[in-house]
Amino acid sequence: MGNYNFSDRERFEMTGLIDYSALQSLPAIWETTSQMFPDVLALLDPHAKPSVSLTYAQLYAEIQEFAAGIQALGVELDPKAPFPPRVALFADNSARWMIADQGIMLAGAANAVRSSAAEREELLYILEHSGSTGLVVENIKTLNKLMPELFDLPVQWVVLLSDETLEIIKGLKAINFGQLMKIAANYTLKTANQNPQTLATLIYTSGTTGKPKGVMLTHANFIHQLVALTSVIQPSVGDRTLSILPTWHSFGRIGEYFTLSQGCSQIYTNRRYLKQDLQTYTPQYVVGVPRLWESIYEGMQKSFREKSPRMQKFIQSFLTVSQSYIKAVRTWKRMDLENLTPSRSQLFQAWVKTIILAPLHYLGEMLLYKKIQQATGGKLKQLICGGGSLAQHLEDFFEIIGIDILVGYGLTETAPVLTVRRYWRNLRGSSGFPIANTEIKIVDLETHQPLPTGQKGLVMARGSQVMQGYFLNPEATKKAIDSEGWFDTGDIGWLTPDNQIVLTGRAKDTIVLTNGENIEPQPIEDACLRSHYIDQIMLVGQDRKSLGAIIVVNLEALEQWVEKSGKAGEINLNSKEIRDLFRAELKREVRNRPGYRRDDEIIAFELIKEPFTIENGLLTQTLKIRRNVVAERYRDLINWMFA
């Protein structure tokens, strides 16, 4: 693993309990953790039926049993094959997911992961494309969703993660979790011949063609993250962390791997039980997406609104003072993203304001903010945020009440973390410094020539976490990673003088919502264009809760509709009748689209008359919408739309 080439500073920062840099495979961490923390609680799944509680020693034993069981079912290890055998894992957050995930790898296979709730066509595509010969599914419902096409695929056996009773399926070995563990008791686990460059998993991500691409992540990709992330957080053995992100999602997955590698106790929760579990288990860490922190913030705001008018005024007074206080502190620490190089006069004024406001801010902390912290359990050390940028009002609020949010940045293709803010240099509004053995550069969108510090351009990344490529798709791989190993992230951003990344948008079309969901706009836009009232449409919603749209109306069709409705006169695009018409059109066309998901719904929209053309710079020469240009041209309208 010497190819990591960590700098002296990076090695100084990396103060994890265990040095994992010499691991040959990811599952090897479980033998180490079982020896270091045998009796420490590893996984607690209180909402499972029955509930699950496993120490590190028990977790490692169950991972070994699962690995032995699927080897007994049939995992053919061929050291000469270009890839290890693949096993599809279609399931969601649970202790058994972790056992299955790591059991598959320990058995010598690579898994192809996806949620059990995904569309059946997508699951069948992943099964076929990955060439999976084994299948692990959440339950019978998920299995039935794949029938009868499953019989036409090379899948030889199926394991349910539930204990449901399976009927005999002709031509297919199918058993439940308990039955697999019984098989394992009579089978000796064979050691798999793995090395850091061996394929560990395939995570399928959206592509511009509509077909998902299989991101190939190796054991080395994950091991790099385990080692490098110790520069970001240093948990203590037994620290509690809540697991709420999808475990098949790249961000949620590495969050779990890392905290468990450090001896933390992981408690599984969900949106329904989150508030309750924060109080019950008082976690030190939570890994989540911006939407999660937004929901916590909204819950706190709701409780404020339920107070008496006098108490509301009291709370708002303290928040206003503290807003000015943190702004002043940021300025004299040179950590105000809007003014990274303040003048001497500004520094002095900020210092004076800090001294004046500090007593009031600390009074607010004693009387108010510590009580607000109790909504998160009261013991949080840090919240780790990824999957999109964090809104400024959330940055401000959590800083005021004294909860550190460390925002990071990465992609599925980078396993996923590229950069993260540090608690000792938490520049709000940025996505932090590159983690160890990671390079970031900003290049011109057209020429790909490097740009100077502070200038906005395309973000390129290079490091040991960059994927091996897209599975069976060398053309897409070549397009994404150049000959020098630089990965094209598709994001737009700039670097601060101290090398922190600030993201401002996406060069690629993919829209990432605050819940972490990736939305490919083209298929949805194409569906909406079936409405004869819509001439052109561009989806927006990057780092928003839901999708929105800028719609160029078909004036001729709209005039005919107005005439038929008996409302002759000048067309008012903001009238209730016309807006109701377009809302109904969008709902119908989006919901009738194959593969429809709730996140595809267009919640906000604005209607305009001026078309996108080559002449006004909103279309390319090949008549494609210049999304960045349109977004900039209508920036104020988009902000108002989502207000």
Side-chain angles (χ1 to χ4, degrees), residues 269-280 299 375:
T269 189
N270 53 49
R271 293 292 290 273
R272 178 182 177 186
Y273 293 106
L274 176 62
K275 184 177 179 180
Q276 169 188 319
D277 289 344
L278 284 167
Q279 298 288 324
T280 302

Side-chain angles (χ1 to χ4, degrees), residues 222-266:
F222 287 128
I223 294 167
H224 167 269
Q225 301 274 285
L226 297 186
V227 177
L229 289 176
T230 56
S231 65
V232 181
I233 58 174
Q234 294 86 35
S236 301
V237 175
D239 275 354
R240 294 172 299 281
T241 175
L242 288 187
S243 170
I244 190 170
L245 291 181
T247 40
W248 47 266
H249 191 283
S250 184
F251 180 42
R253 201 170 179 182
I254 201 61
E256 297 193 5
Y257 290 163
F258 175 75
T259 52
L260 288 170
S261 76
Q262 300 298 308
C264 293
S265 299
Q266 178 169 286

